[in-house]
Structure formats: C-alpha cells, structure tokens
Amino acid sequence: MQNDAIKTLLVATVLCVVCSVLVSSTAVLLKPAQEANKQLDVKKNLLLASGLIKSSATKEEINEAYSKIKVEIVNLETGEVVPDINPTEYDQEKARKDPEKNKSIAPEKDIAGLKTRAPYAPVYKLVKDDQLQMLILPVKGKGLWSTLYGFLALDSDLRTIRGLGFYSHAETPGLGGEVDNPNWKALWNGKKAFSDNYEDVKIRVVKGSVNSGSPDSEYKVDGLSGATITSNGVTHLLHYWLDEDGFGPYLSKLRNQMNVTADNSTAEGF
C-alpha cells in the first residue's frame, strides 16, 4: 500500500513537471508570434481610424499602407520631437505606469480619468512628397467600465477630423460598445476638432442627434444611445489629448512650422 502511494505521488510529480515544462516552452515559443499579431492589430486599427485601409485588408495590405507612416516620439510638455528615442522600442503605456517615469495629472485637469501619463508619446504622420497629409494621434481615457484606447486622425490642416477608432475597451455591447459601430465612426469624418482660430478644442459627443442645420454642428457628433457616460468619456479624452496637457504644445509647434491655417486644403486621394 505504501509503495503504491509513493508510485502514485511520483507519477503525479513527474506529470506536473512535464506539463509545466511543456506549457512554459509553448508560451516562450508563441511569444514572438503573439507580439507580432499585437503589433499588426495596432497598425490595422490606426490605419482603419485614418481611413487608409478597409476592414478586410490583408496582412500584406496593412504592412504596405503602414510603410507610408512616419513615427516620431514627442515630449508632451514641450511639444518637441525627441530624436534619441526609438519609436519601435518605446512603450507609452508601460511608461505611464512607471512611478519613476510618469507624470501625475492634477485632479482638476484629469478629465480623461487617467491619473498619470507618460512624459512622451508617439505621433504618426502620413507624408507624401515631404508634405504632411495626415496626423494620427493615440488617445485614451475612461468610459463607463473601462479605459478606451484609440487613434484620432487629423487632416493636414490639423483641425479637420478624418476618423476616430478604438482598438481596446470593455464597454457594454450594444450601448457604450457602439463606439465600434461603423455607422457611428463614419460620423466623425469631416468634423472639426478646434475652433477656427485653433484656440479652443470644440469637438464633442452630444446627447441625441446633431441638428445638421445648427451653426456649430461641425463640432458635434451624435451621442451613443443609452450610453451617456461612454459618450462623455469620448468627449473628455479628446479634449484632454488635444489640449495643453496632451498634444496641444506639439500641435501648436507643428502648425507654426507648417504655417497652417484653418483654410488649408485637406488631404485627398488616400
């Protein structure tokens, strides 16, 4: 009886060790593929938000479209490009959670509900013949149940919105989860993020439907039915990232460099 118990225990121990080795080995072997798929998914959602690909795009089409995107890291406080940080190695979300690197956001300014932010952030530029055609900014902020992570695409006038899309969130399906609805996302194309003098962030999601005949309709997007908190969250996160504590300093410098005015022509043919 004692020998049988020892044998059973021995077999169970060996089995556990073998299974642990197999699981660990599989995880290690699959990690590069998982990371590649994660990066591909971010690229796809960035390009979808910008209207540069269709949802049915293949891996090759995604990589081809993304090859036209120039990535830079910017200092959010100064608005300056930081050339000595490799964009492929910088993890903004990891830096945001690092107490030695992040910046605390004052409660009165934390309209996006983030509490902290990284000191630097990536920006994505679509450039043709050395001319900026589109600027894509990573944005994030609290909805009802989760943090929404997405991309906002601005036209070459740095005021007109080309698209907004979220690639990660846990909002309620059929309610706040409608941020993924193609019909709702289509409403953003052509809306204005800033006032005509660029002094104020004006874009917002309203309750109900936008009256297209109202004088400020270009700054409004239809609300998500039954999802007021998520709708407000989208407004708040956009205002945060487009204002002085987000990409505001960078956008200001870029407009000055390009001598951009609200009358600049928009990008076409992409």
Side-chain angles (χ1 to χ4, degrees):
M1 290 287 291
Q2 186 176 3
N3 287 339
D4 289 342
I6 293 175
K7 289 179 181 178
T8 300
L9 182 61
L10 181 61
V11 170
T13 300
V14 171
L15 184 61
C16 287
V17 171
V18 171
C19 289
S20 297
V21 171
L22 289 175
V23 170
S24 298
S25 299
T26 301
V28 171
L29 291 173
L30 290 178
K31 187 174 181 179
Q34 291 172 337
E35 185 61 30
N37 287 334
K38 179 180 177 181
Q39 293 177 3
L40 183 67
D41 187 59
V42 172
K43 290 178 182 178
K44 179 178 180 179
N45 282 281
L46 181 151
L47 295 167
L48 283 171
S50 311
L52 299 175
I53 61 169
K54 296 180 179 180
S55 58
S56 58
T58 64
K59 177 180 179 180
E60 291 72 22
E61 290 171 334
I62 293 170
N63 286 325
E64 170 62 23
Y66 190 79
S67 67
K68 301 174 183 177
I69 302 293
K70 178 183 179 182
V71 189
E72 295 178 336
I73 300 297
V74 301
N75 184 318
L76 292 173
E77 186 172 349
T78 66
E80 299 285 349
V81 174
V82 185
D84 56 343
I85 295 181
N86 186 340
T88 61
E89 297 177 356
Y90 181 68
D91 188 328
Q92 183 186 9
E93 188 63 13
K94 184 177 180 180
R96 184 181 78 83
K97 296 178 180 179
D98 188 338
E100 295 183 359
K101 296 180 180 179
N102 65 20
K103 174 186 175 181
S104 295
I105 305 172
E108 65 273 14
K109 291 187 175 182
D110 192 20
I111 58 175
L114 297 171
K115 296 184 179 179
T116 62
R117 70 158 172 77
Y120 310 113
V123 296
Y124 304 84
K125 295 178 174 179
L126 175 65
V127 179
K128 182 179 181 181
D129 299 329
D130 295 324
Q131 298 294 317
L132 179 69
Q133 303 294 311
M134 194 182 301
L135 177 70
I136 304 102
L137 305 174
V139 294
K140 64 176 77 68
K142 290 292 185 181
L144 174 58
W145 303 113
S146 65
T147 298
L148 296 95
Y149 296 85
F151 294 104
L152 173 71
L154 296 175
D155 218 328
S156 58
D157 64 358
L158 303 179
R159 179 176 179 247
T160 304
I161 296 173
R162 304 316 304 174
L164 173 68
F166 295 101
Y167 60 89
S168 178
H169 67 83
E171 298 301 282
T172 307
L175 297 173
E178 287 297 285
V179 291
D180 294 328
N181 190 316
N183 294 328
W184 187 74
K185 290 192 289 186
L187 299 175
W188 290 86
N189 188 10
K191 296 293 182 177
K192 306 297 183 183
F194 296 94
S195 57
D196 56 7
N197 57 9
Y198 292 96
E199 290 185 358
D200 300 305
V201 181
K202 300 276 286 185
I203 188 66
R204 61 192 177 97
V205 181
V206 301
K207 188 173 183 178
S209 300
V210 176
N211 179 359
S212 59
S214 63
D216 58 350
S217 61
E218 62 183 353
Y219 303 116
K220 298 177 180 179
V221 176
D222 293 356
L224 298 166
S225 180
T228 300
I229 295 178
T230 303
S231 296
N232 291 341
V234 173
T235 295
H236 293 155
L237 70 87
L238 290 178
H239 278 241
Y240 177 82
W241 287 107
L242 292 173
D243 215 339
E244 60 181 3
D245 210 39
F247 291 105
Y250 170 73
L251 291 170
S252 179
K253 286 183 179 293
L254 188 59
R255 285 195 296 267
N256 289 334
Q257 292 170 6
M258 298 172 58
N259 193 27
V260 167
T261 68
D263 295 328
N264 276 32
S265 59
T266 57
E268 296 180 354
F270 293 91

Short mmCIF file of all heavy atoms in Angstrom, two decimals, residues 17 71 80 111 126 152 198 219 238:
data_model
loop_
_atom_site.label_atom_id
_atom_site.label_comp_id
_atom_site.label_asym_id
_atom_site.label_seq_id
_atom_site.Cartn_x
_atom_site.Cartn_y
_atom_site.Cartn_z
N VAL A 17 5.64 18.19 -13.59
CA VAL A 17 6.87 18.80 -14.10
C VAL A 17 6.87 18.84 -15.62
O VAL A 17 7.19 19.86 -16.24
CB VAL A 17 8.11 18.04 -13.58
CG1 VAL A 17 9.38 18.55 -14.29
CG2 VAL A 17 8.26 18.21 -12.08
N VAL A 71 6.78 57.55 -37.89
CA VAL A 71 6.51 57.60 -36.45
C VAL A 71 7.58 58.43 -35.75
O VAL A 71 8.77 58.26 -35.99
CB VAL A 71 6.47 56.19 -35.83
CG1 VAL A 71 5.97 56.25 -34.39
CG2 VAL A 71 5.61 55.25 -36.65
N GLU A 80 8.30 69.19 -28.36
CA GLU A 80 9.44 68.92 -29.22
C GLU A 80 9.53 67.44 -29.58
O GLU A 80 9.19 66.57 -28.78
CB GLU A 80 10.74 69.35 -28.54
CG GLU A 80 10.83 70.83 -28.20
CD GLU A 80 11.09 71.69 -29.43
OE1 GLU A 80 11.41 71.13 -30.49
OE2 GLU A 80 10.98 72.93 -29.32
N ILE A 111 -9.54 65.16 -16.82
CA ILE A 111 -10.88 64.93 -17.36
C ILE A 111 -11.00 63.58 -18.05
O ILE A 111 -12.10 63.07 -18.26
CB ILE A 111 -11.30 66.06 -18.31
CG1 ILE A 111 -10.29 66.20 -19.47
CG2 ILE A 111 -11.43 67.38 -17.57
CD1 ILE A 111 -10.70 67.22 -20.50
N LEU A 126 1.34 60.68 -41.99
CA LEU A 126 1.28 60.25 -43.37
C LEU A 126 1.88 61.37 -44.20
O LEU A 126 1.35 62.49 -44.22
CB LEU A 126 -0.16 59.99 -43.80
CG LEU A 126 -0.35 59.63 -45.28
CD1 LEU A 126 0.32 58.30 -45.61
CD2 LEU A 126 -1.83 59.58 -45.64
N LEU A 152 -6.93 59.03 -33.16
CA LEU A 152 -7.63 60.15 -33.79
C LEU A 152 -6.81 60.61 -34.98
O LEU A 152 -5.62 60.92 -34.83
CB LEU A 152 -7.80 61.30 -32.80
CG LEU A 152 -8.37 62.60 -33.37
CD1 LEU A 152 -9.85 62.45 -33.71
CD2 LEU A 152 -8.17 63.76 -32.39
N TYR A 198 -8.11 77.97 -33.72
CA TYR A 198 -7.34 76.93 -33.02
C TYR A 198 -7.20 77.18 -31.52
O TYR A 198 -6.45 76.47 -30.85
CB TYR A 198 -5.94 76.76 -33.63
CG TYR A 198 -5.94 76.18 -35.03
CD1 TYR A 198 -5.89 77.01 -36.14
CD2 TYR A 198 -5.99 74.81 -35.24
CE1 TYR A 198 -5.89 76.50 -37.42
CE2 TYR A 198 -5.99 74.28 -36.52
CZ TYR A 198 -5.94 75.13 -37.60
OH TYR A 198 -5.93 74.61 -38.87
N TYR A 219 -18.91 70.76 -35.00
CA TYR A 219 -18.17 70.39 -33.80
C TYR A 219 -18.87 69.29 -33.00
O TYR A 219 -18.39 68.94 -31.92
CB TYR A 219 -18.00 71.61 -32.88
CG TYR A 219 -17.33 72.80 -33.52
CD1 TYR A 219 -18.02 74.00 -33.69
CD2 TYR A 219 -16.01 72.73 -33.95
CE1 TYR A 219 -17.40 75.10 -34.26
CE2 TYR A 219 -15.39 73.82 -34.53
CZ TYR A 219 -16.09 75.01 -34.68
OH TYR A 219 -15.48 76.09 -35.26
N LEU A 238 -10.81 63.24 -25.75
CA LEU A 238 -10.36 64.03 -26.89
C LEU A 238 -9.94 65.43 -26.44
O LEU A 238 -8.92 65.96 -26.90
CB LEU A 238 -11.46 64.13 -27.94
CG LEU A 238 -11.78 62.83 -28.69
CD1 LEU A 238 -12.92 63.06 -29.67
CD2 LEU A 238 -10.54 62.32 -29.43
#
